[in-house]
Amino acid sequence: MEFTESQIERYSRHIILQDVGVEGQQKILEGKVLIVGAGGLGSPAALYLAAAGVGTIGIIDGDVVDMTNLQRQVIHFTADVNKAKVLSAKEKIEQLNPDVKVVIYQDLLSTYNIFDIIKEYDIIIDGTDNFPTKFLINDACVLTGKPFSHGGILRFEGQTFTYTPGNACYRCVFISPPPPNAVPTCSQAGVLGSIAGMLGTIQATEVLKFFVGKGELLTNRILTFNALSMEFRNISFKRNKNCPICGEHPSITELQTYDLPVCEIKQ
Amino acid sequence: MTFVKTKIELSKLQVGDRLEVLLTEGEPLDNVPKSATEQGYKVLDIQHVKDKVHKITIEK
């Protein structure tokens, strides 16, 4: 693949990096990422991955932009209130970088559509705000051997890790979803807007490292941070032989359905 | 941008192949040989061509 003159300029700061270079940028341009949720995490992730020239960015989200989103979901602007989030995100990405093909799914990710959607992508970003969908992404990715980046934020804290086949999965640590309402949502507990950017850009960085094939991914360790103390920790964890989905004797061999808390689904 | 364009040309070559690049004095001549060496290429030769133009030979 030959770069155009404008691509040479646009990606010059990547090409100049020894660990990205011409080959790495070509891999980025051929990469396909699915972002689940065009929200706090998905917004910065989508913007940086688009700026980096990721070839195909899929975005799935069933919501419309709400005024309360704008404090942290930076891909959406005030004029986008009431617009479908996937449309709002697509418009910004196309303005940022016409090299990127944007595929949108105005839908909730579910047991019915997840396999069909994820099979089109190299890696998935979990930018969701609820445990049932986090477990759904984990299970579908483990069952089909698809890498994903897990992410979660609340109040001043964030956590993320990366799954690749053969390494520890979400269920190796968190066996099953917490009971509904056991963990507050961002709408209940609040979240500092900028930490969505901190975490979402870490997820975008993992995806770029995955495409380029350089560095060490956040596999078998969870990165957590607290923005108040501004302390970052790496917590190692191992593949769990008793994991219900990737252990020696898995009890989960097909997708599970967990009820989404009613307050999180806007009709 | 000169080093970016040099890297793009080098990417089309095989290991052991040589690339000649014309550089003007100043930033390009100061930076390209240094960056190429830092990134593992061999700068074999730098020759003055004419006026402020120099030719460097880089081996991949």
Side-chain angles (χ1 to χ4, degrees):
Chain A
M1 196 195 80
E2 291 272 323
F3 289 115
T4 63
E5 282 298 312
S6 72
Q7 284 179 321
I8 292 171
E9 279 195 64
R10 183 185 288 270
Y11 306 119
S12 61
R13 302 302 192 271
H14 274 169
I15 292 168
I16 219 158
L17 285 172
Q18 186 162 16
D19 285 332
V20 179
V22 174
E23 294 80 6
Q25 186 60 46
Q26 279 169 339
K27 288 176 186 165
I28 292 170
L29 287 164
E30 289 160 7
K32 296 178 180 180
V33 62
L34 176 72
I35 300 174
V36 185
L41 305 177
S43 290
L47 288 169
Y48 273 103
L49 293 172
V54 171
T56 305
I57 299 181
I59 305 175
I60 178 164
D61 198 308
D63 271 344
V64 298
V65 179
D66 184 88
M67 190 65 89
T68 62
N69 300 153
L70 302 179
Q71 158 259 21
R72 67 195 176 285
Q73 301 183 14
V74 292
I75 207 166
H76 310 301
F77 301 165
T78 305
D80 298 316
V81 170
N82 294 325
K83 187 184 284 183
K85 284 187 175 177
V86 289
L87 281 178
S88 165
K90 184 178 201 272
E91 288 170 7
K92 309 310 181 328
I93 292 173
E94 287 174 346
Q95 287 180 59
L96 176 57
N97 190 347
D99 285 346
V100 179
K101 179 184 169 198
V102 187
V103 181
I104 57 175
Y105 310 86
Q106 194 177 344
D107 204 350
L108 289 171
L109 195 63
S110 72
T111 53
Y112 302 107
N113 59 17
I114 190 167
F115 285 133
D116 276 345
I117 294 174
I118 66 173
K119 74 171 193 288
E120 304 294 329
Y121 298 91
D122 303 318
I123 185 166
I124 316 299
I125 286 186
D126 171 3
T128 65
D129 60 357
N130 66 82
F131 289 103
T133 314
K134 291 190 184 303
F135 278 85
L136 176 68
I137 292 168
N138 180 76
D139 294 354
C141 287
V142 171
L143 291 173
T144 58
K146 186 77 70 181
F148 72 92
S149 165
H150 160 87
I153 51 170
L154 192 67
R155 299 192 182 103
F156 295 91
E157 294 176 28
Q159 67 171 38
T160 178
F161 82 94
T162 302
Y163 167 81
T164 59
N167 289 308
C169 82
Y170 191 46
R171 279 194 196 265
C172 287
V173 203
F174 306 104
I175 304 293
S176 60
N181 298 319
V183 178
T185 63
C186 289
S187 61
Q188 292 162 347
V191 60
L192 189 73
S194 60
I195 73 161
M198 292 171 68
L199 201 91
T201 50
I202 291 172
Q203 291 184 284
T205 305
E206 287 288 283
V207 168
L208 292 176
K209 281 162 57 188
F210 171 77
F211 285 142
V212 171
K214 289 288 165 71
E216 286 92 46
L217 294 170
L218 277 170
T219 49
N220 300 319
R221 58 196 166 115
I222 297 183
L223 173 69
T224 70
F225 66 78
N226 179 319
L228 282 180
S229 58
M230 208 49 99
E231 284 183 327
F232 287 68
R233 293 170 64 198
N234 265 281
I235 302 161
S236 294
F237 70 113
K238 279 190 213 149
R239 200 165 163 183
N240 175 356
K241 66 181 187 344
N242 297 317
C243 174
I245 191 157
C246 77
E248 288 171 2
H249 306 287
S251 56
I252 298 170
T253 53
E254 56 184 34
L255 297 177
Q256 312 288 297
T257 305
Y258 301 104
D259 288 340
L260 285 169
V262 176
C263 66
E264 288 177 7
I265 306 175
K266 288 185 199 136
Q267 297 298 337
Chain B
M1 286 305 291
T2 314
F3 184 57
V4 172
K5 289 180 177 170
T6 304
K7 280 190 83 173
I8 287 170
E9 293 309 314
L10 283 165
S11 76
K12 299 171 186 168
L13 305 179
Q14 304 295 318
V15 174
D17 287 351
R18 291 172 185 190
L19 178 73
E20 292 180 348
V21 188
L22 294 174
L23 300 169
T24 47
E25 284 175 10
E27 251 186 71
L29 186 63
D30 290 342
N31 294 341
V32 173
K34 199 163 58 181
S35 299
T37 307
E38 276 170 13
Q39 299 207 359
Y41 303 104
K42 271 187 217 156
V43 177
L44 300 176
D45 190 35
I46 304 181
Q47 274 180 29
H48 182 241
V49 180
K50 61 167 185 177
D51 301 330
K52 292 186 170 178
V53 180
H54 298 251
K55 182 175 82 182
I56 71 164
T57 307
I58 305 173
E59 185 179 291
K60 185 171 179 179

mmCIF file of all heavy atoms in Angstrom, chain A residues 1-5 7-9 12 15 21-23 26, chain B residues 1-13 19 41 60:
data_model
loop_
_atom_site.group_PDB
_atom_site.id
_atom_site.type_symbol
_atom_site.label_atom_id
_atom_site.label_comp_id
_atom_site.label_asym_id
_atom_site.label_seq_id
_atom_site.Cartn_x
_atom_site.Cartn_y
_atom_site.Cartn_z
ATOM 1 N N MET A 1 0.827 -1.197 0.000
ATOM 2 C CA MET A 1 0.000 0.000 0.000
ATOM 3 C C MET A 1 0.866 1.254 0.000
ATOM 4 O O MET A 1 1.776 1.374 0.791
ATOM 5 C CB MET A 1 -0.877 -0.010 1.260
ATOM 6 C CG MET A 1 -2.037 0.947 1.198
ATOM 7 S SD MET A 1 -2.734 1.200 2.845
ATOM 8 C CE MET A 1 -1.573 2.372 3.514
ATOM 9 N N GLU A 2 0.596 2.150 -0.921
ATOM 10 C CA GLU A 2 1.345 3.404 -0.994
ATOM 11 C C GLU A 2 0.609 4.494 -0.222
ATOM 12 O O GLU A 2 -0.606 4.623 -0.320
ATOM 13 C CB GLU A 2 1.456 3.840 -2.460
ATOM 14 C CG GLU A 2 2.357 2.947 -3.294
ATOM 15 C CD GLU A 2 3.814 3.399 -3.247
ATOM 16 O OE1 GLU A 2 4.056 4.611 -3.217
ATOM 17 O OE2 GLU A 2 4.691 2.523 -3.242
ATOM 18 N N PHE A 3 1.356 5.299 0.526
ATOM 19 C CA PHE A 3 0.744 6.448 1.192
ATOM 20 C C PHE A 3 0.550 7.568 0.183
ATOM 21 O O PHE A 3 1.388 7.786 -0.685
ATOM 22 C CB PHE A 3 1.665 6.978 2.296
ATOM 23 C CG PHE A 3 1.766 6.078 3.487
ATOM 24 C CD1 PHE A 3 2.961 5.467 3.823
ATOM 25 C CD2 PHE A 3 0.659 5.854 4.301
ATOM 26 C CE1 PHE A 3 3.060 4.643 4.931
ATOM 27 C CE2 PHE A 3 0.757 5.036 5.421
ATOM 28 C CZ PHE A 3 1.952 4.429 5.730
ATOM 29 N N THR A 4 -0.543 8.312 0.309
ATOM 30 C CA THR A 4 -0.690 9.538 -0.471
ATOM 31 C C THR A 4 0.126 10.633 0.221
ATOM 32 O O THR A 4 0.531 10.482 1.371
ATOM 33 C CB THR A 4 -2.166 9.984 -0.529
ATOM 34 O OG1 THR A 4 -2.589 10.276 0.811
ATOM 35 C CG2 THR A 4 -3.055 8.889 -1.111
ATOM 36 N N GLU A 5 0.328 11.737 -0.503
ATOM 37 C CA GLU A 5 1.078 12.853 0.091
ATOM 38 C C GLU A 5 0.412 13.337 1.376
ATOM 39 O O GLU A 5 1.076 13.622 2.368
ATOM 40 C CB GLU A 5 1.182 14.025 -0.909
ATOM 41 C CG GLU A 5 2.237 13.817 -1.980
ATOM 42 C CD GLU A 5 3.662 13.682 -1.423
ATOM 43 O OE1 GLU A 5 4.053 14.510 -0.581
ATOM 44 O OE2 GLU A 5 4.362 12.729 -1.811
ATOM 45 N N GLN A 7 -1.484 11.612 3.377
ATOM 46 C CA GLN A 7 -1.304 10.601 4.438
ATOM 47 C C GLN A 7 0.102 10.685 5.036
ATOM 48 O O GLN A 7 0.273 10.510 6.241
ATOM 49 C CB GLN A 7 -1.557 9.198 3.890
ATOM 50 C CG GLN A 7 -3.034 8.894 3.692
ATOM 51 C CD GLN A 7 -3.261 7.513 3.136
ATOM 52 O OE1 GLN A 7 -2.508 7.048 2.278
ATOM 53 N NE2 GLN A 7 -4.286 6.833 3.607
ATOM 54 N N ILE A 8 1.096 10.948 4.191
ATOM 55 C CA ILE A 8 2.469 11.080 4.711
ATOM 56 C C ILE A 8 2.519 12.215 5.730
ATOM 57 O O ILE A 8 3.111 12.088 6.799
ATOM 58 C CB ILE A 8 3.466 11.324 3.557
ATOM 59 C CG1 ILE A 8 3.574 10.070 2.691
ATOM 60 C CG2 ILE A 8 4.843 11.721 4.100
ATOM 61 C CD1 ILE A 8 4.376 10.273 1.405
ATOM 62 N N GLU A 9 1.833 13.311 5.411
ATOM 63 C CA GLU A 9 1.805 14.430 6.360
ATOM 64 C C GLU A 9 0.991 14.105 7.594
ATOM 65 O O GLU A 9 1.412 14.319 8.726
ATOM 66 C CB GLU A 9 1.210 15.671 5.685
ATOM 67 C CG GLU A 9 2.200 16.421 4.839
ATOM 68 C CD GLU A 9 1.682 17.806 4.504
ATOM 69 O OE1 GLU A 9 1.504 18.606 5.431
ATOM 70 O OE2 GLU A 9 1.450 18.057 3.306
ATOM 71 N N SER A 12 2.772 11.581 9.823
ATOM 72 C CA SER A 12 4.232 11.714 9.905
ATOM 73 C C SER A 12 4.757 11.455 11.318
ATOM 74 O O SER A 12 5.823 10.858 11.487
ATOM 75 C CB SER A 12 4.671 13.090 9.413
ATOM 76 O OG SER A 12 4.099 14.107 10.207
ATOM 77 N N ILE A 15 4.895 7.747 11.688
ATOM 78 C CA ILE A 15 5.881 7.110 10.807
ATOM 79 C C ILE A 15 7.292 7.315 11.353
ATOM 80 O O ILE A 15 8.152 6.439 11.265
ATOM 81 C CB ILE A 15 5.739 7.674 9.371
ATOM 82 C CG1 ILE A 15 4.391 7.218 8.778
ATOM 83 C CG2 ILE A 15 6.887 7.197 8.473
ATOM 84 C CD1 ILE A 15 4.003 7.946 7.494
ATOM 85 N N GLY A 21 6.455 3.444 12.662
ATOM 86 C CA GLY A 21 7.067 3.450 11.329
ATOM 87 C C GLY A 21 6.041 3.254 10.218
ATOM 88 O O GLY A 21 4.830 3.318 10.436
ATOM 89 N N VAL A 22 6.572 3.003 9.026
ATOM 90 C CA VAL A 22 5.723 2.813 7.851
ATOM 91 C C VAL A 22 4.859 1.566 8.017
ATOM 92 O O VAL A 22 3.647 1.581 7.790
ATOM 93 C CB VAL A 22 6.610 2.686 6.588
ATOM 94 C CG1 VAL A 22 5.776 2.354 5.369
ATOM 95 C CG2 VAL A 22 7.396 3.978 6.366
ATOM 96 N N GLU A 23 5.494 0.473 8.473
ATOM 97 C CA GLU A 23 4.772 -0.801 8.585
ATOM 98 C C GLU A 23 3.663 -0.699 9.631
ATOM 99 O O GLU A 23 2.552 -1.183 9.415
ATOM 100 C CB GLU A 23 5.721 -1.946 8.955
ATOM 101 C CG GLU A 23 6.757 -2.289 7.886
ATOM 102 C CD GLU A 23 7.961 -1.325 7.872
ATOM 103 O OE1 GLU A 23 8.053 -0.448 8.768
ATOM 104 O OE2 GLU A 23 8.794 -1.447 6.948
ATOM 105 N N GLN A 26 0.781 1.282 8.383
ATOM 106 C CA GLN A 26 -0.014 0.498 7.430
ATOM 107 C C GLN A 26 -0.936 -0.477 8.155
ATOM 108 O O GLN A 26 -2.087 -0.665 7.779
ATOM 109 C CB GLN A 26 0.909 -0.263 6.469
ATOM 110 C CG GLN A 26 1.402 0.646 5.360
ATOM 111 C CD GLN A 26 2.513 0.047 4.523
ATOM 112 O OE1 GLN A 26 3.191 -0.883 4.969
ATOM 113 N NE2 GLN A 26 2.702 0.582 3.348
ATOM 114 N N MET B 1 9.989 16.414 7.898
ATOM 115 C CA MET B 1 9.333 15.606 6.852
ATOM 116 C C MET B 1 10.343 14.855 5.984
ATOM 117 O O MET B 1 10.001 13.852 5.384
ATOM 118 C CB MET B 1 8.477 16.510 5.949
ATOM 119 C CG MET B 1 7.202 16.985 6.600
ATOM 120 S SD MET B 1 6.156 15.659 7.228
ATOM 121 C CE MET B 1 5.605 14.899 5.717
ATOM 122 N N THR B 2 11.597 15.357 5.938
ATOM 123 C CA THR B 2 12.585 14.679 5.077
ATOM 124 C C THR B 2 12.840 13.255 5.582
ATOM 125 O O THR B 2 12.913 12.316 4.790
ATOM 126 C CB THR B 2 13.915 15.459 5.059
ATOM 127 O OG1 THR B 2 13.622 16.841 4.872
ATOM 128 C CG2 THR B 2 14.802 14.984 3.929
ATOM 129 N N PHE B 3 12.950 13.117 6.914
ATOM 130 C CA PHE B 3 13.204 11.776 7.442
ATOM 131 C C PHE B 3 11.984 10.867 7.260
ATOM 132 O O PHE B 3 12.123 9.674 7.009
ATOM 133 C CB PHE B 3 13.622 11.838 8.915
ATOM 134 C CG PHE B 3 13.991 10.493 9.474
ATOM 135 C CD1 PHE B 3 14.997 9.728 8.886
ATOM 136 C CD2 PHE B 3 13.323 9.965 10.576
ATOM 137 C CE1 PHE B 3 15.328 8.467 9.380
ATOM 138 C CE2 PHE B 3 13.656 8.709 11.070
ATOM 139 C CZ PHE B 3 14.656 7.963 10.476
ATOM 140 N N VAL B 4 10.785 11.445 7.369
ATOM 141 C CA VAL B 4 9.562 10.655 7.144
ATOM 142 C C VAL B 4 9.583 10.091 5.725
ATOM 143 O O VAL B 4 9.352 8.898 5.494
ATOM 144 C CB VAL B 4 8.299 11.526 7.374
ATOM 145 C CG1 VAL B 4 7.046 10.771 6.954
ATOM 146 C CG2 VAL B 4 8.205 11.944 8.834
ATOM 147 N N LYS B 5 9.917 10.966 4.767
ATOM 148 C CA LYS B 5 9.946 10.517 3.364
ATOM 149 C C LYS B 5 11.084 9.524 3.126
ATOM 150 O O LYS B 5 10.947 8.580 2.340
ATOM 151 C CB LYS B 5 10.057 11.725 2.434
ATOM 152 C CG LYS B 5 8.753 12.501 2.416
ATOM 153 C CD LYS B 5 8.791 13.718 1.525
ATOM 154 C CE LYS B 5 7.406 14.380 1.524
ATOM 155 N NZ LYS B 5 7.409 15.676 0.875
ATOM 156 N N THR B 6 12.190 9.715 3.836
ATOM 157 C CA THR B 6 13.302 8.760 3.740
ATOM 158 C C THR B 6 12.858 7.390 4.252
ATOM 159 O O THR B 6 13.140 6.360 3.632
ATOM 160 C CB THR B 6 14.505 9.281 4.568
ATOM 161 O OG1 THR B 6 14.851 10.580 4.107
ATOM 162 C CG2 THR B 6 15.695 8.349 4.447
ATOM 163 N N LYS B 7 12.147 7.384 5.383
ATOM 164 C CA LYS B 7 11.676 6.100 5.940
ATOM 165 C C LYS B 7 10.712 5.406 4.988
ATOM 166 O O LYS B 7 10.717 4.184 4.854
ATOM 167 C CB LYS B 7 10.977 6.336 7.291
ATOM 168 C CG LYS B 7 11.932 6.509 8.445
ATOM 169 C CD LYS B 7 11.225 6.492 9.788
ATOM 170 C CE LYS B 7 10.954 5.098 10.298
ATOM 171 N NZ LYS B 7 10.423 5.111 11.684
ATOM 172 N N ILE B 8 9.878 6.199 4.333
ATOM 173 C CA ILE B 8 8.924 5.594 3.396
ATOM 174 C C ILE B 8 9.673 4.926 2.246
ATOM 175 O O ILE B 8 9.362 3.801 1.851
ATOM 176 C CB ILE B 8 7.909 6.649 2.909
ATOM 177 C CG1 ILE B 8 6.941 6.943 4.060
ATOM 178 C CG2 ILE B 8 7.150 6.174 1.672
ATOM 179 C CD1 ILE B 8 6.024 8.107 3.853
ATOM 180 N N GLU B 9 10.696 5.578 1.721
ATOM 181 C CA GLU B 9 11.480 4.971 0.636
ATOM 182 C C GLU B 9 12.235 3.743 1.142
ATOM 183 O O GLU B 9 12.284 2.715 0.463
ATOM 184 C CB GLU B 9 12.455 5.997 0.036
ATOM 185 C CG GLU B 9 11.774 7.133 -0.707
ATOM 186 C CD GLU B 9 10.749 6.656 -1.738
ATOM 187 O OE1 GLU B 9 11.047 5.720 -2.511
ATOM 188 O OE2 GLU B 9 9.633 7.222 -1.766
ATOM 189 N N LEU B 10 12.794 3.843 2.359
ATOM 190 C CA LEU B 10 13.530 2.693 2.916
ATOM 191 C C LEU B 10 12.602 1.490 3.098
ATOM 192 O O LEU B 10 13.025 0.341 2.948
ATOM 193 C CB LEU B 10 14.160 3.067 4.265
ATOM 194 C CG LEU B 10 15.435 3.915 4.188
ATOM 195 C CD1 LEU B 10 15.758 4.534 5.545
ATOM 196 C CD2 LEU B 10 16.625 3.076 3.705
ATOM 197 N N SER B 11 11.334 1.765 3.419
ATOM 198 C CA SER B 11 10.400 0.660 3.668
ATOM 199 C C SER B 11 10.162 -0.172 2.407
ATOM 200 O O SER B 11 9.731 -1.312 2.475
ATOM 201 C CB SER B 11 9.073 1.184 4.211
ATOM 202 O OG SER B 11 8.306 1.762 3.170
ATOM 203 N N LYS B 12 10.453 0.409 1.239
ATOM 204 C CA LYS B 12 10.234 -0.321 -0.021
ATOM 205 C C LYS B 12 11.433 -1.184 -0.394
ATOM 206 O O LYS B 12 11.387 -1.938 -1.355
ATOM 207 C CB LYS B 12 9.958 0.690 -1.154
ATOM 208 C CG LYS B 12 8.717 1.546 -0.914
ATOM 209 C CD LYS B 12 8.641 2.656 -1.959
ATOM 210 C CE LYS B 12 7.488 3.606 -1.645
ATOM 211 N NZ LYS B 12 7.548 4.839 -2.461
ATOM 212 N N LEU B 13 12.523 -1.048 0.368
ATOM 213 C CA LEU B 13 13.761 -1.760 0.035
ATOM 214 C C LEU B 13 13.945 -3.009 0.884
ATOM 215 O O LEU B 13 13.281 -3.184 1.903
ATOM 216 C CB LEU B 13 14.963 -0.822 0.248
ATOM 217 C CG LEU B 13 14.940 0.517 -0.492
ATOM 218 C CD1 LEU B 13 16.182 1.329 -0.149
ATOM 219 C CD2 LEU B 13 14.844 0.311 -1.992
ATOM 220 N N LEU B 19 20.048 3.381 -0.200
ATOM 221 C CA LEU B 19 19.230 4.504 -0.653
ATOM 222 C C LEU B 19 20.068 5.771 -0.624
ATOM 223 O O LEU B 19 20.763 6.042 0.360
ATOM 224 C CB LEU B 19 18.017 4.674 0.288
ATOM 225 C CG LEU B 19 17.068 5.833 -0.016
ATOM 226 C CD1 LEU B 19 16.219 5.529 -1.257
ATOM 227 C CD2 LEU B 19 16.146 6.101 1.176
ATOM 228 N N TYR B 41 19.567 2.134 10.931
ATOM 229 C CA TYR B 41 20.085 2.088 9.555
ATOM 230 C C TYR B 41 21.548 2.503 9.577
ATOM 231 O O TYR B 41 22.013 3.163 10.488
ATOM 232 C CB TYR B 41 19.282 3.032 8.653
ATOM 233 C CG TYR B 41 17.806 2.747 8.621
ATOM 234 C CD1 TYR B 41 16.904 3.553 9.310
ATOM 235 C CD2 TYR B 41 17.302 1.650 7.910
ATOM 236 C CE1 TYR B 41 15.537 3.288 9.291
ATOM 237 C CE2 TYR B 41 15.941 1.380 7.891
ATOM 238 C CZ TYR B 41 15.069 2.200 8.578
ATOM 239 O OH TYR B 41 13.727 1.940 8.558
ATOM 240 N N LYS B 60 19.904 -0.175 4.364
ATOM 241 C CA LYS B 60 18.816 -0.707 5.215
ATOM 242 C C LYS B 60 19.315 -1.918 5.980
ATOM 243 O O LYS B 60 19.981 -2.752 5.423
ATOM 244 C CB LYS B 60 17.603 -1.081 4.368
ATOM 245 C CG LYS B 60 16.408 -1.517 5.212
ATOM 246 C CD LYS B 60 15.160 -1.664 4.376
ATOM 247 C CE LYS B 60 14.002 -2.128 5.248
ATOM 248 N NZ LYS B 60 12.755 -2.261 4.498
#
